[in-house]
Amino acid sequence: MGKDIREDIAWAQINKDVLKSLESPRRMYWVILFIAIAMIGVAVGSEIYQYTTGMGVSNKNNSHVWGLYIATFIFWIGMSHSGTLLSAILHLMHADWRKPIYRFAEAMTTFSLMTAGLFVLVHLGRLWQVYYVMPYPNERWVWPNFQSPLVWDMFAIATYLSSSVLFLYVGMIPDLAICRDNIHAGWRKKLYTVMSLGWEGTDRQWRNFRITYLTIACFLIPLAVSVHSIVASDFAMSNMPGWHVTSFPPYFVAGALYSGCAAIITLFIILRYVFRFEEYMTLPIMKKLVRLTFAIAMVWTYLNLIEFASVWYGHDQTAKDQLIFKATGPYAPFFWAMIFFGSILPLMLAFKRFQTHLPILFVVSILLNVGMWLERWMIIAPSFAHGHYPWTWDHDQWPSLVQWGIVFGSFGWFTLLFMVFCKVFPSVSMYEVKEMVYHRSLALKHKPAVKGEY
């Protein structure tokens, strides 16, 4: 299974290993960066073509006013939840295994939200009217409409993004001081000097730091739940068939945690290899993370079944027809792929032989997020293709190459931001790993002797 973090590892060695990751990652880092930049280039070209030609190239029409862009927007919003939410919850639960991995999980939250915001601009089409998306008081009283869930989205996402950035930054301050004191002279040293805010590690600073970090963690937990619940309200409060379901808020939150945990597994494996973090991102930590992902996958499956049951045994014939349409109509391959990737494939994670097998976990984690992306797509596309009125039915609207180019480019944008962050800032918390090693060494020292143990 592999060994956990050694209790006898020196604190200076921890600093050396993490600081080394900022200077000399493996060559795979530059390969990933090149692929990400190439994907961004495709997205930029697609967006320029869409901007100059019109939204018709993305197959937008009267019935399909939403589509691939909004589905991907929900996917990125969902993936952002797991990092900060799990970090805050595990921090309150004093789960020490989170300490080597929570930093990059929080960074994943920040960059996922920044990626999701781009799809608001892309779907808007008329970029010069982006101010209509922002809720602000004005003398015309035409906008904003504070009864619209879209305005709630703006408030919730902006609040969550600012809080997540603050949570990430506050948690990095002691590590930024370590970088400041150990890095060579140059622009990085100046950056760390400014961002460390004069940290010296005094008792008063540590006391204020603990209180501040704990307060933000307590604030983020209900905020993260409310954000995706509000996004779910965009659908649940409408009368579109397949959307008017009261279980959508918890269903969306579970799906957000699910996709986020799968993404953490993917990034865990990449960072472990690229930045040589085998000593800190250990297999026992991976095993706990996989078990947590499996538990959340089963919760998501249960809520999915509740949604199907409530529609099937309900009195809304249109919603029932919509469910049958998803399972047997032109979208059936995507529906059953969602079921397989989201509910059946995670059963592999219940077996111990797969819980620490990194190549298999890497493939499975990607396929899990493919299933979660399909889940967002299946929420939007079939409802617009087969709504209440037959004259709006349009089953032939598949995503165009322009849409796919922008969607793939969003993954390149996220990858670029994330990998640059891990190259500039420590992606493993040095001071928290030191605390983890210290407390485990104390526990080992005071462990009662067992008969026959040498």
Side-chain angles (χ1 to χ4, degrees):
M1 185 183 70
K3 296 182 179 180
D4 207 344
I5 295 179
R6 294 186 291 112
E7 292 82 3
D8 60 342
I9 187 171
W11 286 12
Q13 185 63 37
I14 296 174
N15 289 352
K16 181 180 178 182
D17 292 341
V18 177
L19 293 175
K20 184 180 178 182
S21 69
L22 305 180
E23 300 293 341
S24 57
R26 285 192 168 100
R27 291 182 180 178
M28 182 57 67
Y29 174 85
W30 305 107
V31 175
I32 295 174
L33 218 60
F34 174 79
I35 295 175
I37 294 173
M39 295 172 70
I40 293 174
V42 172
V44 171
S46 301
E47 172 59 20
I48 292 175
Y49 179 70
Q50 176 178 278
Y51 178 78
T52 55
T53 307
M55 295 300 290
V57 298
S58 59
N59 295 335
K60 294 291 181 292
N61 55 37
N62 289 333
S63 59
H64 288 265
V65 293
W66 286 2
L68 196 67
Y69 296 150
I70 299 300
T72 310
F73 165 79
I74 301 170
F75 171 81
W76 284 113
I77 291 294
M79 205 174 80
S80 70
H81 280 54
S82 188
T84 300
L85 185 60
L86 289 181
S87 175
I89 293 176
L90 294 176
H91 175 68
L92 296 178
M93 295 175 63
H94 302 287
D96 63 349
W97 61 270
R98 68 172 272 279
K99 295 180 178 179
I101 65 173
Y102 82 90
R103 176 74 51 75
F104 79 81
E106 292 174 3
M108 181 192 77
T109 291
T110 301
F111 300 132
S112 296
L113 286 170
M114 294 173 64
T115 305
L118 295 178
F119 282 94
V120 177
L121 304 178
V122 171
H123 188 269
L124 188 63
R126 299 171 178 175
L127 302 180
W128 57 90
Q129 294 186 354
V130 66
Y131 61 87
Y132 277 112
V133 182
M134 304 176 184
Y136 66 97
N138 62 85
E139 67 280 1
R140 295 173 296 164
W141 292 102
V142 176
W143 192 267
N145 176 12
F146 290 102
Q147 296 179 351
S148 170
L150 299 178
V151 178
W152 309 346
D153 285 346
M154 182 61 190
F155 277 117
I157 294 171
T159 304
Y160 188 49
L161 176 60
S162 57
S163 302
S164 299
V165 171
L166 183 63
F167 191 53
L168 173 64
Y169 173 60
V170 169
M172 286 198 305
I173 290 177
D175 280 352
L176 292 174
I178 296 175
C179 296
R180 174 200 64 198
D181 297 336
N182 293 274
I183 208 74
H184 57 79
W187 67 270
R188 282 191 176 188
K189 191 174 186 68
K190 295 178 181 178
L191 176 66
Y192 299 143
T193 301
V194 173
M195 296 188 66
S196 59
L197 303 178
W199 179 271
E200 296 178 355
T202 63
D203 290 341
R204 183 170 180 267
Q205 287 179 338
W206 276 111
R207 184 168 60 252
N208 293 335
F209 170 80
R210 298 293 186 192
I211 295 174
T212 303
Y213 194 73
L214 180 62
T215 302
I216 300 175
C218 294
F219 172 74
L220 274 174
I221 294 174
L223 177 62
V225 174
S226 67
V227 168
H228 221 46
S229 298
I230 291 174
V231 174
S233 300
D234 295 349
F235 301 90
M237 291 186 178
S238 72
N239 289 321
M240 291 291 291
W243 290 3
H244 196 61
V245 182
T246 56
S247 63
F248 257 22
Y251 174 64
F252 269 51
V253 172
L257 291 173
Y258 186 8
S259 59
C261 284
I264 290 175
I265 293 175
T266 305
L267 297 176
F268 181 104
I269 297 172
I270 293 175
L271 294 183
R272 188 178 191 268
Y273 173 76
V274 171
F275 293 103
R276 302 181 177 89
F277 283 146
E278 291 87 355
E279 191 74 35
Y280 306 99
M281 297 181 182
T282 60
L283 295 183
I285 293 177
M286 172 60 83
K287 188 174 184 179
K288 294 181 176 67
L289 185 58
V290 168
R291 289 178 174 178
L292 179 62
T293 304
F294 172 73
I296 296 175
M298 294 301 101
V299 172
W300 178 84
T301 301
Y302 174 70
L303 291 172
N304 213 13
L305 293 175
I306 286 179
E307 179 193 348
F308 296 158
S310 62
V311 171
W312 187 257
Y313 293 105
H315 301 288
D316 189 344
Q317 185 61 41
T318 307
K320 189 181 297 186
D321 293 341
Q322 179 67 244
L323 180 60
I324 297 173
F325 172 72
K326 287 182 180 181
T328 60
Y331 293 94
F334 302 100
F335 176 82
W336 293 111
M338 176 197 76
I339 297 298
F340 175 78
F341 290 139
S343 299
I344 299 176
L345 186 62
L347 296 176
M348 291 180 58
L349 305 181
F351 297 94
K352 290 185 177 180
R353 69 176 67 182
F354 299 126
Q355 291 177 354
T356 54
H357 196 291
L358 297 184
I360 292 179
L361 288 176
F362 183 75
V363 175
V364 169
S365 63
I366 293 177
L367 293 178
L368 294 183
N369 260 324
V370 169
M372 295 312 298
W373 183 90
L374 287 172
E375 181 250 345
R376 272 71 171 197
W377 169 247
M378 289 304 299
I379 288 174
I380 291 178
S383 293
F384 281 115
H386 200 82
H388 286 288
Y389 305 108
W391 63 270
T392 64
W393 291 358
D394 187 0
H395 305 158
D396 298 326
Q397 292 297 329
W398 303 104
S400 64
L401 292 178
V402 172
Q403 288 179 294
W404 284 120
I406 293 176
V407 168
F408 285 131
S410 70
F411 287 90
W413 169 254
F414 169 81
T415 304
L416 178 65
L417 292 177
F418 183 81
M419 298 305 288
V420 169
F421 171 86
C422 294
K423 184 69 167 60
V424 176
F425 299 103
S427 52
V428 170
S429 177
M430 291 179 278
Y431 75 93
E432 294 246 36
V433 171
K434 293 174 185 176
E435 291 178 354
M436 181 180 178
V437 170
Y438 175 73
H439 290 303
R440 289 191 176 187
S441 62
L442 283 182
L444 188 63
K445 185 182 299 184
H446 295 89
K447 181 181 178 181
V450 180
K451 185 177 181 180
E453 182 177 88
Y454 295 95

